[in-house]
């Protein structure tokens, strides 16, 4: 595995690969890697000739400065995990490498309604930050395929829109959510849960399963109300729990088309998100 920290050397290497006709699969991450991230690496290796993974904790997507400060950084452990798998290139840029010293601020993107809903509503500015970093990374890496997790459902829709806005040719592949044995969606933020909170944390997934199991029995607002009460009893403070179609349009009752249940909730000072594709 080759490690690059600068864009010039990375670009030169990627240029050589492109001239040799190799396809490139890109897995962007913020590090503190877990098997969820590694599943994206495996998916990339199955599809592309060369796998490039990036680790960059992007300051512009943290609406809460405390969250940024507390974000786990475990680069040595991340490198060890990547070395054991099929990653060919690791890109480890600094903030300066990504955004350029003294460069003008990155542009704002118009993501329309997607930016005002759910994560967008609760984390103002978050998706602008995601758009900025992804535009920069996609430009630097110039990959053929991009692998992202369904865990961040709304982020995938935002990045799809970004790819449209930038008019670049790249295939975005959405990969399933990897879970712990007790159902908790794997996340770098899980490292911040106290032992007591960690025991309670699978309650979020159980709430999604409960919603999925009772879809036909009552109007959605009643069902979601019950599931939210369960979450509160289990020690969570729910930010949202809703059922939507695959484009995040809210549904009030069962639909013949795709349905997704999505949630964000605080547990012991840690914000957890999860979702389940119901149909
Ligand atoms: P992050 O490091 O949190 O920015 O995540 C990097 C990528 O890994 C994103 O595309 C996430 O959606 C994806 N990811 C995070 N957690 C999981 C998981 N439990 N299962 C699958 N993919 C995940």
């Amino acid at each position: 595995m080759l490690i690059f920290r600068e864009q010039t050397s990375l670009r030169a290497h990627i240029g050589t690969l492109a001239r040799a006709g190799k396809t490139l699969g890109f897995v962007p991450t913020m590090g503190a890697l877990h098997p969820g991230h590694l599943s994206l690496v495996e998916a990339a290796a199955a599809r592309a000739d060369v796998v490039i993974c990036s680790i960059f904790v992007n300051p512009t997507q943290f609406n809460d400065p405390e969250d940024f400060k507390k974000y786990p950084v475990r680069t040595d452990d991340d490198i060890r995990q990547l070395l054991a798998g099929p990653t060919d290139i690791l890109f480890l840029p600094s903030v300066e490498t990504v955004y350029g010293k003294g460069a003008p601020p990155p542009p704002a993107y118009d993501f329309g309604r997607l930016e005002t809903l759910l994560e967008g509503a609760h984390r103002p500015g978050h998706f602008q930050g995601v758009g900025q970093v992804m535009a920069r990374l996609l430009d630097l890496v110039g990959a053929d395929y991009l692998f992202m997790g369904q865990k961040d459902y709304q982020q995938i829709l935002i990045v799809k829109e970004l790819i449209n806005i930038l008019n670049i040719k790249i295939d975005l592949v959405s990969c399933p959510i990897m879970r712990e044995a007790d159902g908790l969606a794997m996340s770098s933020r899980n490292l911040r849960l106290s032992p007591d909170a960690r025991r309670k944390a699978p309650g979020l997934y159980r709430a999604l399963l409960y919603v999925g199991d009772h879809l036909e029995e009552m109007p959605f607002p009643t069902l979601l109300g019950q599931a939210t009460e369960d979450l509160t009893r289990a020690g969570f403070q729910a930010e949202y729990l809703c059922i939507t179609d695959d484009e995040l349009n809210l549904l009030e009752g069962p639909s013949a088309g795709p349905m997704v249940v999505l949630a964000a909730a605080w547990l012991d000072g840690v914000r957890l998100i999860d979702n389940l594709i119901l149909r």
Side-chain angles (χ1 to χ4, degrees):
M1 183 174 80
L2 295 172
I3 301 183
F4 293 93
R5 292 173 195 273
E6 303 297 336
Q7 59 166 305
T8 321
S9 48
L10 175 74
R11 275 204 159 126
H13 184 67
I14 287 174
T16 310
L17 294 170
R19 282 190 293 281
K22 303 281 187 203
T23 57
L24 197 57
F26 179 34
V27 180
T29 81
M30 297 205 298
L33 300 182
H34 52 65
H37 295 116
L38 302 180
S39 73
L40 306 190
V41 169
E42 294 293 338
R47 187 76 70 97
D49 298 324
V50 176
V51 178
I52 175 165
C53 179
S54 66
I55 297 178
F56 177 62
V57 184
N58 173 37
T60 74
Q61 73 186 68
F62 286 83
N63 54 308
D64 173 2
E66 275 306 299
D67 190 27
F68 178 58
K69 258 195 253 161
K70 288 190 209 151
Y71 203 84
V73 175
R74 309 187 143 198
T75 313
D76 291 346
D77 184 57
D78 291 346
I79 292 173
R80 261 194 298 279
Q81 292 193 55
L82 292 176
L83 280 171
T87 302
D88 300 291
I89 301 170
L90 170 60
F91 185 37
L92 269 179
S94 63
V95 173
E96 230 166 59
T97 297
V98 172
Y99 291 116
K101 199 175 172 186
Y109 297 103
D110 181 4
F111 296 123
R113 58 179 275 284
L114 270 184
E115 205 185 337
T116 64
L117 299 162
L118 311 181
E119 290 299 291
H122 289 276
R123 301 185 65 190
H126 168 63
F127 286 129
Q128 283 301 320
V130 169
Q132 288 167 359
V133 75
M134 287 306 298
R136 255 329 257 145
L137 290 175
L138 292 178
D139 179 49
L140 284 168
V141 171
D144 302 284
Y145 303 99
L146 173 62
F147 296 84
M148 301 189 79
Q150 179 210 314
K151 160 92 184 342
D152 298 279
Y153 190 95
Q154 194 169 358
Q155 173 170 272
I156 291 206
L157 298 183
I158 288 277
V159 174
K160 266 191 197 156
E161 188 53 34
L162 179 72
I163 290 170
N164 279 338
I165 293 171
L166 299 174
N167 195 19
I168 49 178
K169 199 188 153 316
I170 188 164
D171 275 354
L172 173 51
V173 181
S174 171
C175 302
I177 303 176
M178 294 293 121
R179 299 183 178 281
E180 303 289 353
D182 59 9
L184 175 64
M186 291 178 180
S187 165
S188 308
R189 287 191 176 82
N190 294 349
L191 292 168
R192 295 198 342 229
L193 293 168
S194 66
D196 180 48
R198 175 63 191 83
R199 269 191 300 278
K200 293 175 178 162
L204 188 58
Y205 181 51
R206 277 200 294 276
L208 302 183
L209 291 174
Y210 177 85
V211 169
D213 286 344
H214 296 81
L215 282 179
E216 310 289 338
E217 291 167 27
M218 60 196 105
F220 284 177
T222 315
L223 174 58
L224 294 168
Q226 283 185 7
T228 305
E229 277 173 26
D230 289 348
L231 275 177
T232 307
R233 267 194 298 276
F236 291 85
Q237 284 164 280
E239 262 188 2
Y240 62 80
L241 175 64
C242 59
I243 305 172
T244 72
D245 67 7
D246 54 352
E247 296 288 332
L248 298 183
N249 294 298
L250 285 181
L251 298 174
E252 296 282 314
S255 138
M259 290 195 281
V260 189
V261 54
L262 304 107
W266 289 88
L267 181 64
D268 198 23
V270 182
R271 186 174 185 276
L272 301 176
I273 60 170
D274 200 353
N275 67 80
L276 188 62
I277 296 179
L278 300 171
R279 192 143 72 200

